Amino acid sequence: MPGHFEPLPGGGAAVALDDVEISIIRSLAVQLLELIGPGPAEDAEADPLAGLFAEGPSEPPADPVLKRLFPDAYCDPGHTPASPRDAEEQRAYSAEFRRYTENDLRAGKRENALAVVRSLDALAAAGEGGAVLKLSVEESRQWLGALNDLRLAIGSRLGITDEDDTDLLFRLPDEDPRKPMVMAYLWLGGLQETLVSTLMP
């Protein structure tokens, strides 16, 4: 079980984590929460129906990591529109889609990252020298979403756009300042892959 998730009888997953691993994942999840931003303010409208239909931003985020986490729905960065009019239509559709979906997407990503922090805090409070983290099926799904978001964020900071970039990272010398981030990216990838396998029927 060390270093990878294994299925639990009846559903869910378990992984053995030491104190350093707990600290790293928790720190990354907290950084992700800070990047995504706070949830609805406490002094937000009291009417839950109004909150349900609140509009989000229409412009893509400036931060490249947030652009990766919240990409445009209708604009393909690898494809050039046939005409300026097509490009304008794609931007308009993307803006409209973002306005009505980004708040919910942010809330979901925030909830996933919070689930990671809460489960790690409970694990740290229960034992010393690391412990076995046991997740329900729902918690496993939240962890899977958070691990994916963490890898997207780190991958964006490292400039990873395709599988060839990942291969280059394996050959970085130990003195390269990106090496710790690369090691975290690869380690989280292993956790993600084994967690996916526990959720497969």
Side-chain angles (χ1 to χ4, degrees):
M1 185 182 302
H4 63 274
F5 280 96
E6 292 184 2
L8 287 173
V15 62
L17 297 171
D18 63 30
D19 287 342
V20 173
E21 292 168 330
I22 291 170
S23 176
I24 290 170
I25 297 173
R26 189 186 188 287
S27 174
L28 290 171
V30 167
Q31 290 176 53
L32 181 63
L33 283 166
E34 291 170 356
L35 184 66
I36 291 170
E42 289 180 14
D43 60 349
E45 267 194 73
D47 181 0
L49 192 58
L52 183 64
F53 292 102
E55 293 184 6
S58 59
E59 293 300 315
D63 187 302
V65 174
L66 288 174
K67 276 186 183 176
R68 189 89 177 265
L69 292 173
F70 304 103
D72 275 333
Y74 293 94
C75 297
D76 181 359
H79 172 73
T80 304
S83 69
R85 181 179 174 159
D86 287 345
E88 186 59 38
E89 281 183 359
Q90 285 180 1
R91 281 193 293 275
Y93 291 146
S94 290
E96 191 73 3
F97 186 82
R98 184 179 295 280
R99 183 177 297 122
Y100 293 108
T101 61
E102 187 167 313
N103 283 347
D104 286 342
L105 288 173
R106 281 182 184 264
K109 291 178 184 300
R110 190 179 302 110
E111 229 7 83
N112 290 343
L114 280 170
V116 169
V117 171
R118 289 179 187 131
S119 59
L120 290 176
D121 285 349
L123 186 66
E128 295 180 13
V132 175
L133 175 69
K134 295 181 180 179
L135 303 173
S136 67
V137 173
E138 180 56 31
E139 289 169 331
S140 296
R141 289 192 180 108
Q142 289 179 305
W143 264 73
L144 191 57
L147 288 173
N148 186 62
D149 288 341
L150 289 172
R151 292 192 77 238
L152 284 174
I154 294 171
S156 181
R157 291 287 189 238
L158 290 170
I160 297 172
T161 57
D162 57 41
E163 199 59 41
D164 292 339
D165 295 334
T166 306
D167 293 339
L168 292 173
L169 296 177
F170 278 109
R171 297 192 289 275
L172 283 178
D174 289 342
E175 61 272 12
D176 192 297
R178 296 171 295 172
K179 192 71 171 190
M181 204 183 306
V182 168
M183 298 308 293
Y185 177 82
L186 298 172
W187 173 55
L188 292 173
L191 285 175
Q192 183 181 17
E193 187 177 331
T194 58
L195 185 53
V196 166
S197 68
T198 70
L199 294 172
M200 295 176 71

